[in-house]
């Protein structure tokens, strides 16, 4: 059965790998699974056909036969559970890897997304300049905790896993802010993730969709 995922027809980040379909592409590349991509416009994301797959009108989605999934954590976990390469064989290590997947989206990502909200959606509010440092401090607190746990290791729990995949992509969203550079161990951790051949293939595929035609800007 062919795997089909959805992605932005034109990504807000212009193909810099911050959109969440990158996580799913990366997981499929790590697992060596071929897939097709159906590009959707912002208008199409709110249409009944897409809402039937993703009730919140977002991307990505995952379709395989009669299975339709949404939410990147669920999608990546499904891929990892059905294909080798993203979860350890040992039951305890497997459970820990899944814990890191949840930590990435439930603990580390929320304050990072709050920074985007504070800068873009609330940047014109009279209180935004007072709120921004509070948001940044919450991010730094989480990063200090994460850096302490990572220590000098390459990955969060032994070998690379779906937990690292999710965590690296969440941290990538911090790069434009410069906060990630304040934590060299985490910056190096992200760089190791980006250096993986599977990530490079995933990044190149989504970048190709967003490249301006005829070399324009």
């Amino acid at each position: 059965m062919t795997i089909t995922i959805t992605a932005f027809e034109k990504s807000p980040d212009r193909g810099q790998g911050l959109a969440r379909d990158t996580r799913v592409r990366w997981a499929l590349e790590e697992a060596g699974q071929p897939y097709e991509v159906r590009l959707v416009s912002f208008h199409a994301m709110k249409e009944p056909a897409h809402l039937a797959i993703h009730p919140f009108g977002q991307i990505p989605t995952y379709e395989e036969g009669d299975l339709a999934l949404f939410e990147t954590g669920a999608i990546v976990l499904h891929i990892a559970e059905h294909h080798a390469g993203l979860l350890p064989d040992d039951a305890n290590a497997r459970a820990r890897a899944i814990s890191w997947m949840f930590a990435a989206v439930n603990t580390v990502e929320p304050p990072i997304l709050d920074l985007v909200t504070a800068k873009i959606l609330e940047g014109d509010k009279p209180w935004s300049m007072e709120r921004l440092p509070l948001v940044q401090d919450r991010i730094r607190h989480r990063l200090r905790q994460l850096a302490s746990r990572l220590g000098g290791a390459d990955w969060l729990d032994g070998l690379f896993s779906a937990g690292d995949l999710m965590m690296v992509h969440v941290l990538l969203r911090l790069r434009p802010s410069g906060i990630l550079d304040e934590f060299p161990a985490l910056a190096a951790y992200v760089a190791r993730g980006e250096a993986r051949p599977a990530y490079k293939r995933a990044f190149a595929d989504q970048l190709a969709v967003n490249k301006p035609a005829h070399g324009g800007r």
Side-chain angles (χ1 to χ4, degrees):
M1 290 180 288
T2 301
I3 296 171
T4 302
I5 70 171
T6 52
F8 287 124
E9 183 179 76
K10 186 174 291 186
S11 180
D13 74 341
R14 299 181 181 180
Q16 294 308 300
L18 304 184
R20 288 182 176 86
D21 63 283
T22 304
R23 301 174 187 177
V24 178
R25 294 174 186 265
W26 185 5
L28 288 167
E29 293 289 352
E30 291 281 358
Q33 295 302 303
Y35 61 98
E36 296 181 355
V37 181
R38 184 171 68 251
L39 301 177
V40 293
S41 65
F42 285 100
H43 175 75
M45 287 164 60
K46 309 306 177 185
E47 291 293 302
H50 188 73
L51 290 172
I53 305 172
H54 198 310
F56 304 109
Q58 299 174 326
I59 62 97
T61 60
Y62 174 104
E63 296 170 80
E64 185 178 14
D66 59 359
L67 174 65
L69 297 174
F70 62 98
E71 292 296 332
T72 56
I75 295 170
V76 172
L77 180 57
H78 173 78
I79 295 167
E81 288 184 325
H82 288 81
H83 305 285
L86 284 167
L87 287 176
D89 292 331
D90 175 75
N92 288 347
R94 193 180 186 92
R96 290 194 300 270
I98 294 171
S99 292
W100 281 115
M101 292 181 66
F102 277 84
V105 296
N106 289 345
T107 302
V108 178
E109 188 169 37
I112 294 174
L113 295 179
D114 203 19
L115 179 62
V116 176
T117 299
K119 284 187 171 182
I120 298 176
L121 301 181
E122 300 173 349
D124 60 344
K125 305 298 182 184
W127 38 261
S128 65
M129 294 305 294
E130 295 180 4
R131 181 171 183 268
L132 189 58
L134 300 177
V135 174
Q136 293 170 329
D137 284 347
R138 285 196 291 271
I139 293 171
R140 291 186 176 100
H141 174 65
R142 287 297 183 217
L143 296 190
R144 282 193 291 271
Q145 292 175 316
L146 183 62
S148 176
R149 181 55 182 263
L150 180 65
D154 284 347
W155 308 112
L156 290 168
D157 193 74
L159 299 177
F160 175 85
S161 76
D164 294 295
L165 184 153
M166 295 295 290
M167 190 67 76
V168 165
H169 193 260
V170 163
L171 294 176
L172 271 168
R173 299 179 70 91
L174 268 180
R175 181 166 286 160
S177 73
I179 295 177
L180 183 63
D181 294 332
E182 298 175 19
F183 298 84
L186 295 182
Y189 170 64
V190 170
R192 283 191 292 276
E194 291 179 294
R196 294 181 68 83
Y199 177 84
K200 290 181 178 180
R201 292 193 297 271
F203 182 88
D205 286 347
Q206 59 83 38
L207 179 61
V209 173
N210 291 277
K211 277 185 176 178
H214 309 299
R217 293 182 180 274

